[in-house]
Amino acid sequence: MMTTPVTKLTKILDLEAEKYRDQAVVGGLASYVPTWTQEARRAFGPKAGDWIDEIAGRLRTYSALPDTAARREALVTLRDVLNRGPARAEPAPDQAPKPAVKPSEPSPPPRQPPDLESPITVVRGIGPKRSQRLQRLGVHTIRDLLYFLPRRYDDYSQLLPINRLKYGQEVTIIARVKKAYTRDTRGGRSIFKAILTDGTGSVEVTWFNQPYLANQIKQGQQIVVSGEVDEYLGHLCFTSPQWEPLREELLHTNRIVPVYPLTEGLTARSLRRLMKRVVTYWSRLLPDYLPRSVVRAEGLLDLETAILQAHFPSSQELLKRARQRLAFDELFVLQVALLRQRHEWRSEPGQPIPVREDVLQSFVHSLPYELTEAQQRSLEQIVEDLQSERPMTRLLQGDVGSGKTVVAAAAMALTASAGSQAAMMAPTEILAEQHYRTVTSLLDDTLGDDIQVRLLTGSVTGEDRDQIYAGLENGTVGVVVGTHALIQESVTFDRLALAVVDEQHRFGVRQRGALRQKGYNPHLLVMTATPIPRSLQLTVWGHLDVSVIDQMPPGRKPVVTRLILPTERERAYAFVRSQIEKGRQAFIICPLVEESDKLEAKAAVEEYERLQQTIFPHLELGLLHGRMTGEEKESTMARFARGELDILVATSVIEVGIDVPNAGVMLVEGAERFGLAQLHQFRGRVGRGEHASYCLLISDSSSEQAQQRLKAVEETNDGFALARKDLEMRGPGEFLGTQQSGFAQAVLAMELARIADLRLVERAREAARRFFETDPKLADPAHRLLARRVDRILEQGGQIN
């Protein structure tokens, strides 16, 4: 009698599986829930409550599934849960086993029930070794497992009889093993072969170096095989396809099969089985922080269905909808957090700066060139912001050499001439020194001697540092340019009204915030030379107003870019030597710091030694990479800037922050290993003087995609066009770089959104804006989960830049 409810429901599911029309019982499966639940609770008792509730929930949602494929998948999962039984269920969060104790002993503290933040070791089947392997993939908690999404999918859902197979198809067949045998090759390898038949024909299947299959695939067995149809000696065949025995639920064949990232010790099949079990049980416990009104208005899948379909999709359409739902979630919460941060910044009054038109005109007329239209437009936007009672929060982006510093200097001049103070923070001393020289020369004619412009870095010590500290505190220093030294506790401003942050992505959000906190809600202007496609602008910098300088100053010579074959490397060296003989300097960029056993790429340390000893023995070479100390890097860059070095061998650390007008050649080894935007940044290190400049890209890859990417760099100097193409081809994770940890939310969202789906980004942004207008403080109890998630993002800081 104990199994009667299971037996009854199994028969009903068998009947439903004939047509999948929800007609197995009158009124559909949902109508049977009260009867079955009552019988199951009576038969199994209260300990089976979670198991019973899970089955009841799946029965209730069955009729809402969109098509037969989804219902077939749902029934397979339902049978699995039903057959698992209450005793074999995963431990529910409120049913953690309690240790047995003697009545006379004091009770130990209750065990914390497992939840989504619990370590993955609480999941049945994940021991210490498997846990370590999963942690190498970034999976630490159950929540991480649920969002550990496949990197791609193999679509084996096309089921065909053998007589309809065609070469090159990705298909699935169901057949009987007519013959199976193993043979060894002369080289000691084993080959396992099976002849399969399904009544319409026969086909040979071959697996290499898998002798254990002889114990798994037997004559007369029914198996399912999925893979690409191959051809050998004029006959169609399969070579090393996926396979599994024919059974109710298929994970590796006859479906859209998820392919997960792997690491040593984890196999695709075992990980797939683990993920199926985890996702089936734990996805129902995921709290949905997205407001129900938004889910309904946007026509989104419910979260549990989205997670299930993102891992084990029933159809391509459901897979698309599932990934869009998950991407929308991340985009929406990020946008709400951005709006919340913007609202908080603007809720406090700022310091309106009375802009003097005579000072602005004096600054513009003192320039040895005319501002471009893009510079004028950006300056007008900034001037309007400075006069506002709301503090400016603006991103100024422009290509390398487009003239961002001039626009920022104008804003600093206007601020200082109004009796307030302006500060510019740069990530390195050499870049701060460059800005100081530029800003000083630009402001000399405008500010005169009444307002001091000073440089503050870690190298400024003793009496000079004390004078700057005093000048900042009493207001006689109106403009200061510096590094992290500006945000030390000992630095006090009299009236900081404008904070400018250059290469803003090189600073953490707390560092930028620390500079703002040196004044009372000062205006904030952040600058970047990395062109940012609109989709990422909306996603990552949605809380900032954006000004774009998309024109280059007249007269600037474009850098000549050439793609060089590895066989032409000596010719490239000869060209570098000829340019140095003309008085120029050169960069040589390597993708690695030191040689790697796993990567065949030029390494800076070894390449520096080889070039110095054998290629350029009579020239002065310098070495620069990320493992050097700050002082070592600063010293090397300074020597190169002073002309003491002919060639600087470096890694990508040179991407930003050094301006050497005499540098005329940029040679990039292993160019295919860098993103297009990064290559464009390298190229921007040359062509900054009056002489013609060159960028030589050497690629060790002959792949068509690598050649296409590098051809794009060769054909255009438009950084924005390259950034869009880079985002499309590589995705936001690689586009932003592994060091951009602050972009984690946006990266996940954009990866899920399939790179550059701007419509989804704008849709999430608009939905967030409408929602935020109704509850800007997230005070509604129904929005408690969303508020908690937004708070977590804002507290972590690095999530919003």
Side-chain angles (χ1 to χ4, degrees), residues 573-594:
Y573 292 154
F575 180 78
V576 169
R577 193 178 292 110
S578 70
Q579 288 296 303
I580 292 174
E581 288 172 356
K582 293 178 181 179
R584 307 286 81 76
Q585 292 166 274
F587 295 96
I588 296 181
I589 306 299
C590 301
L592 303 177
V593 176
E594 295 177 336

Side-chain angles (χ1 to χ4, degrees), residues 23-309:
Q23 296 176 350
V25 293
V26 178
L29 293 181
S31 67
Y32 182 59
V33 169
T35 302
W36 188 83
T37 300
Q38 186 177 14
E39 292 180 355
R41 291 192 191 285
R42 202 162 43 233
F44 297 108
K47 290 185 178 181
D50 283 328
W51 174 71
I52 294 169
D53 289 344
E54 180 178 358
I55 293 172
R58 294 185 182 280
L59 290 172
R60 289 191 190 96
T61 59
Y62 178 80
S63 61
L65 295 175
D67 52 31
T68 299
R71 290 183 176 183
R72 181 186 296 114
E73 174 75 12
L75 282 191
V76 168
T77 303
L78 189 52
R79 288 178 192 273
D80 182 55
V81 176
L82 186 66
N83 295 333
R84 185 176 68 201
R88 295 170 57 195
E90 291 276 1
D94 58 349
Q95 285 190 329
K98 299 177 181 179
V101 296
K102 297 179 181 179
S104 58
E105 295 178 352
S107 299
R111 273 180 54 184
Q112 186 70 24
D115 59 21
L116 296 177
E117 305 308 322
S118 299
I120 52 178
T121 49
V122 306
V123 176
R124 179 164 48 89
I126 301 183
K129 287 186 178 180
R130 181 175 275 190
S131 172
Q132 289 177 1
R133 291 162 183 163
L134 287 168
Q135 286 178 33
R136 290 203 297 268
L137 296 170
V139 177
H140 302 275
T141 67
I142 295 172
R143 186 186 298 276
D144 292 339
L145 268 177
L146 293 177
Y147 283 96
F148 182 62
L149 299 178
R151 58 186 175 87
R152 64 178 176 85
Y153 302 83
D154 290 331
D155 191 347
Y156 297 141
S157 58
Q158 185 180 7
L159 180 63
L160 289 180
I162 291 175
N163 67 346
R164 289 179 55 192
L165 297 181
K166 293 181 181 179
Y167 174 74
Q169 288 178 313
E170 290 273 358
V171 298
T172 294
I173 62 170
I174 300 176
R176 182 176 57 82
V177 180
K178 184 178 180 181
K179 185 179 180 182
Y181 60 94
T182 302
R183 68 180 180 85
D184 296 327
T185 66
R186 291 178 181 177
R189 302 173 66 195
S190 69
I191 298 177
F192 181 78
K193 287 182 175 288
I195 307 298
L196 306 182
T197 180
D198 66 353
T200 69
S202 298
V203 66
E204 184 179 75
V205 185
T206 303
W207 287 273
F208 294 97
N209 282 332
Q210 299 181 54
Y212 55 83
L213 292 180
N215 297 321
Q216 299 177 8
I217 299 177
K218 302 291 186 179
Q219 184 175 339
Q221 184 182 9
Q222 288 276 99
I223 67 171
V224 186
V225 169
S226 293
E228 183 178 342
V229 180
D230 205 348
E231 189 176 37
Y232 181 68
L233 297 179
H235 297 286
L236 296 180
C237 61
F238 287 91
T239 304
S240 298
Q242 294 287 331
W243 79 278
E244 58 189 322
L246 179 62
R247 54 193 176 200
E248 280 190 355
E249 183 180 31
L250 299 171
L251 283 184
H252 317 294
T253 58
N254 195 30
R255 63 174 305 139
I256 301 173
V257 177
V259 179
Y260 293 95
L262 296 175
T263 186
E264 187 176 353
L266 281 179
T267 66
R269 294 169 75 93
S270 65
L271 183 55
R272 202 173 289 134
R273 284 192 293 268
L274 170 67
M275 292 303 300
K276 178 63 175 178
R277 187 158 46 80
V278 167
V279 169
T280 299
Y281 177 77
W282 290 96
S283 62
R284 66 190 179 90
L285 300 180
L286 262 178
D288 194 347
Y289 54 83
L290 211 61
R292 292 182 181 178
S293 58
V294 175
V295 174
R296 287 195 299 267
E298 297 296 327
L300 301 171
L301 291 177
D302 67 90
L303 185 57
E304 180 184 357
T305 301
I307 288 290
L308 287 167
Q309 291 296 324

Side-chain angles (χ1 to χ4, degrees), residues 483-549:
T483 57
H484 301 76
L486 291 173
I487 59 177
Q488 300 301 314
E489 289 185 12
S490 51
V491 177
T492 303
F493 287 82
D494 176 43
R495 193 184 176 197
L496 178 63
L498 172 63
V500 181
V501 181
D502 189 32
E503 298 298 349
Q504 61 91 25
H505 64 282
R506 299 280 292 273
F507 294 100
V509 70
R510 290 185 179 86
Q511 292 169 319
R512 296 194 295 277
L515 181 60
R516 291 184 77 244
Q517 289 166 12
K518 292 292 182 180
Y520 177 74
N521 285 339
H523 298 284
L524 176 67
L525 179 66
V526 296
M527 303 193 298
T528 181
T530 302
I532 307 161
R534 177 169 164 76
S535 51
L536 282 182
Q537 277 184 31
L538 291 175
T539 306
V540 187
W541 292 278
H543 58 318
L544 300 173
D545 297 313
V546 179
S547 294
V548 180
I549 302 179

Side-chain angles (χ1 to χ4, degrees), residues 564-581 586-590 602-603 606-612 614-617 619 621 647 649 665-670 696 698 700:
I564 305 294
L565 297 173
T567 54
E568 300 176 300
R569 187 175 277 112
E570 291 300 326
R571 183 176 155 205
Y573 292 154
F575 180 78
V576 169
R577 193 178 292 110
S578 70
Q579 288 296 303
I580 292 174
E581 288 172 356
F587 295 96
I588 296 181
I589 306 299
C590 301
K602 294 283 185 182
E606 286 77 16
E607 189 68 355
Y608 163 74
E609 294 174 354
R610 185 183 74 86
L611 292 172
Q612 181 68 87
T614 63
I615 307 298
F616 305 112
L619 300 178
L621 273 64
I647 298 174
V649 181
V665 183
M666 169 66 66
L667 189 155
V668 183
E669 291 278 6
L696 308 179
I698 301 181
D700 296 316

Side-chain angles (χ1 to χ4, degrees), residues 374-486:
Q375 285 175 309
Q376 292 175 10
R377 181 177 64 246
S378 298
L379 182 54
E380 288 170 4
Q381 293 168 341
I382 291 169
V383 167
E384 184 178 347
D385 285 348
L386 292 176
Q387 297 177 97
S388 171
E389 293 186 354
R390 289 182 171 178
M392 172 175 67
T393 52
R394 184 168 292 275
L395 171 68
L396 179 62
Q397 66 162 319
D399 218 336
V400 175
S402 61
K404 299 182 296 298
T405 306
V406 175
V407 174
M412 297 169 77
L414 293 171
T415 302
S417 65
S420 297
Q421 292 171 298
M424 175 184 280
M425 185 166 69
T428 66
E429 286 200 11
I430 191 167
L431 185 55
E433 290 171 1
Q434 289 171 185
H435 281 317
Y436 172 69
R437 290 193 295 269
T438 302
V439 169
T440 301
S441 64
L442 290 170
L443 299 189
D444 263 352
D445 295 336
T446 305
L447 298 181
D449 298 329
D450 296 335
I451 300 174
Q452 294 184 46
V453 180
R454 299 300 300 267
L455 172 68
L456 180 61
T457 67
S459 298
V460 178
T461 59
E463 187 176 342
D464 288 342
R465 183 184 61 191
D466 294 339
Q467 288 178 357
I468 296 173
Y469 282 1
L472 290 173
E473 189 169 6
N474 63 33
T476 56
V477 174
V479 175
V480 63
V481 179
T483 57
H484 301 76
L486 291 173

